[in-house]
Amino acid sequence: MILFILLVVVPIVTLIWLFFYDRGQKQHSILRNFPILGRVRYFLERTGPEFRQYLFSDDNSGKPFSREEYLHMVLPGKYKSSLIGFGSKRDFEAPGYYIRNAMFTKQNEEMRVDNSDLVDTRHYVIDDEGLFTRREHTEEIPALPWLLPPDDAVVIGPDCREPFHVRSLLGQSAMSFGSLGKNAITALSKGIGMAKGAWMNTGEGGLSDHHLSGGPEIIAQISSGLFGYRTPEGEFDIEKVKEKAAIPNVRAFELKLAQGAKMRGGHVEGEKVTEEIAKIRTVEPYTTINSPNRFREFDDYPSMFEFIEQIREVGGKPVGIKVVIGSKSEADELAGWMKKTGKGPDFISVDGSEGGSGATYQDLADSLGLPIKTALTILDDSLQEHGVRDRVKIIASGKITTPDKAAIALALGADLVQVARGFMISVGCIMALKCHTNECPAGVATTDEDLQRALVVDEKKYRVTNYILTMREGLFRIAAAAGLDSPTKLNRSHLVYMDERGRAHPVHAHDEHLSVR
């Protein structure tokens, strides 16, 4: 009798109650006309993205990353492998860039690489994989680091008291503590630290103990909100720059003018701003944070350059800017002022419009700024035309998640590449698109203590390490195939662009900027 009540009576009574409740409510038109059935519609609408991702979208059609692109970030981190079988899924009829292969490639022993100090990591090995089950275990393995030799290191700020010698061509792009939770930041820090040579950008939320926990190289970002570098009243505090610069792992500072997904200041919902985050940022806990659209400390190139000089002098370390390129004239103006004043940034982080964000507006993300491939060629051309390219390094970001994409970025003018979402996916992100809500189901983009339990630092840190090592190895593999002994030697002469008619165009400096996929 009890079973009958639970299985029959209770569901019927519930449906009757829902019918009359839906008919009477005033918020949803569909529910007033179609009680209960309308709820089925809303259920399908809410679960649609998940169903499409796993069941209905083909491997190459998902956005912002397809299933294929997602796996190219997950599998290297988990299994430390990027091997595929049978053939590529790329659409070879579509326009795009290709890397020129050499008739006579380089042997491994001919490569200019430092693999002397092995990295201790762990990877997964599949024991058995069935339709509904998978058994796998982890194994400790020594891995090659794929670092640049000291003589080939990319030197940022050679004239600073403490230049930044970079021996990893790949680093982590800016991601704030607050946008990501402490477990995610800690796993990233430890994974990047174990990989050796790579750097971690703090993002605009300031430097935390979680960033320092793994001992990675740090680029400390300063945003228009001055978080971590401000007085309680919100004014710039140069003493906090001096304080951060005294930390050996902090190797450079970066002024954030813009990022790919937003040309304005950052945004963090109040529920993400815990007391710990508020203390680091010098703001009120659980209060929504909106950064100003730009720095109040400068409003033109001369005043920006003076601000850079002030930070460089006090900190003794390189100072760069993070920008999104909007036009050739804009890049020319920046380069022109650098030439005229003899001043300027030590590096420029250029983010493409395809770059991501923990929270932004759809209109800004979709239509402002140029994609990374076009932005790189414009910026590199402008700096060379004004004779200041040798003074500044370019760091590229914007959906550069695989070695071939990184190689193309280096060939188009970047000295280094950095990744954000590839690292997020390495620590467990499933692209639920809930970064701005504090409800990330994987415990990555959330400060909720219960949700963060999903992210086990001592497991995910190895995935971060493996992702970096696989990316760096891939860059050297591509360089060898192009007949080069180092990926630092990639340039536009190593690229061809195939147009919509299948015609191959060489890509040289000062070429007309081609449309890209």
Side-chain angles (χ1 to χ4, degrees), residues 157-186:
D159 297 328
C160 294
R161 294 198 299 273
E162 297 182 51
F164 184 14
H165 293 257
V166 187
R167 295 178 59 203
S168 170
L169 287 169
L170 175 80
Q172 181 219 287
S173 190
M175 290 191 286
S176 301
F177 175 42
S179 178
L180 303 190
K182 62 183 179 182
N183 285 13
I185 295 293
T186 302

Side-chain angles (χ1 to χ4, degrees), residues 2-314:
I2 294 176
L3 187 61
F4 175 78
I5 292 173
L6 290 175
L7 295 180
V8 179
V9 176
V10 171
I12 291 175
V13 171
T14 301
L15 287 173
I16 292 171
W17 180 84
L18 281 175
F19 179 87
F20 286 105
Y21 176 82
D22 288 344
R23 292 282 286 184
Q25 60 80 39
K26 299 178 180 179
Q27 184 178 2
H28 302 288
S29 302
I30 295 296
L31 292 181
R32 283 176 67 84
N33 282 342
F34 303 99
I36 301 174
L37 184 61
R39 289 184 177 269
V40 175
R41 173 190 180 274
Y42 289 121
F43 171 79
L44 294 174
E45 184 178 59
R46 289 291 301 274
T47 59
E50 286 78 12
F51 279 114
R52 284 192 293 274
Q53 180 179 356
Y54 295 106
L55 297 176
F56 304 119
S57 293
D58 67 50
D59 287 345
N60 292 294
S61 64
K63 299 293 182 182
F65 291 101
S66 68
R67 186 70 182 163
E68 189 74 9
E69 291 171 318
Y70 175 76
L71 290 175
H72 287 328
M73 291 176 269
V74 171
L75 299 182
K78 189 172 183 180
Y79 302 105
K80 201 184 170 298
S81 174
S82 54
L83 290 171
I84 64 170
F86 198 69
S88 172
K89 294 182 181 180
R90 177 174 180 172
D91 181 1
F92 291 99
E93 301 297 320
Y97 284 103
Y98 291 83
I99 301 165
R100 292 176 57 181
N101 59 293
M103 191 67 72
F104 302 101
T105 58
K106 292 292 184 181
Q107 300 281 20
N108 285 344
E109 59 270 20
E110 296 178 289
M111 301 304 291
R112 293 183 58 83
V113 60
D114 184 353
N115 276 327
S116 58
D117 192 5
L118 298 181
V119 175
D120 293 324
T121 186
R122 300 181 69 92
H123 72 153
Y124 279 84
V125 177
I126 298 174
D127 300 313
D128 180 66
E129 189 170 23
L131 185 59
F132 297 106
T133 60
R134 174 189 289 172
R135 288 190 301 106
E136 53 190 7
H137 68 278
T138 61
E139 290 182 356
E140 294 185 6
I141 55 169
L144 299 175
W146 298 98
L147 292 170
L148 298 175
D151 290 346
D152 290 352
V154 177
V155 182
I156 300 176
D159 297 328
C160 294
R161 294 198 299 273
E162 297 182 51
F164 184 14
H165 293 257
V166 187
R167 295 178 59 203
S168 170
L169 287 169
L170 175 80
Q172 181 219 287
S173 190
M175 290 191 286
S176 301
F177 175 42
S179 178
L180 303 190
K182 62 183 179 182
N183 285 13
I185 295 293
T186 302
L188 289 167
S189 174
K190 292 187 174 183
I192 292 169
M194 289 192 302
K196 303 172 184 175
W199 72 91
M200 182 182 197
N201 191 307
T202 65
E204 65 179 277
L207 179 66
S208 72
D209 290 340
H210 309 298
H211 290 103
L212 296 168
S213 61
E217 312 271 21
I218 296 285
I219 295 179
Q221 190 180 86
I222 305 174
S223 75
S224 58
L226 304 174
F227 304 124
Y229 304 88
R230 54 188 263 162
T231 66
E233 295 73 36
E235 299 298 319
F236 179 60
D237 187 350
I238 192 67
E239 290 302 314
K240 292 190 175 179
V241 172
K242 188 184 299 184
E243 175 187 304
K244 304 297 191 300
I247 300 171
N249 291 81
V250 175
R251 304 307 309 277
F253 292 93
E254 178 183 86
L255 304 181
K256 176 188 169 184
L257 276 62
Q259 73 180 82
K262 53 193 176 191
M263 308 302 121
R264 60 182 293 282
H267 172 90
V268 181
E269 288 292 327
E271 62 184 310
K272 276 192 168 187
V273 187
T274 64
E275 291 185 6
E276 180 185 16
I277 290 166
K279 183 178 179 181
I280 292 167
R281 296 191 179 210
T282 323
V283 297
E284 290 295 319
Y286 303 105
T287 302
T288 296
I289 301 172
N290 284 298
S291 302
N293 271 3
R294 64 167 175 79
F295 283 83
R296 293 191 172 94
E297 287 68 25
F298 53 82
D299 58 5
D300 57 18
Y301 286 108
S303 57
M304 181 176 75
F305 290 174
E306 289 303 319
F307 193 67
I308 289 172
E309 291 287 319
Q310 180 187 10
I311 295 172
R312 186 189 291 119
E313 178 59 32
V314 168

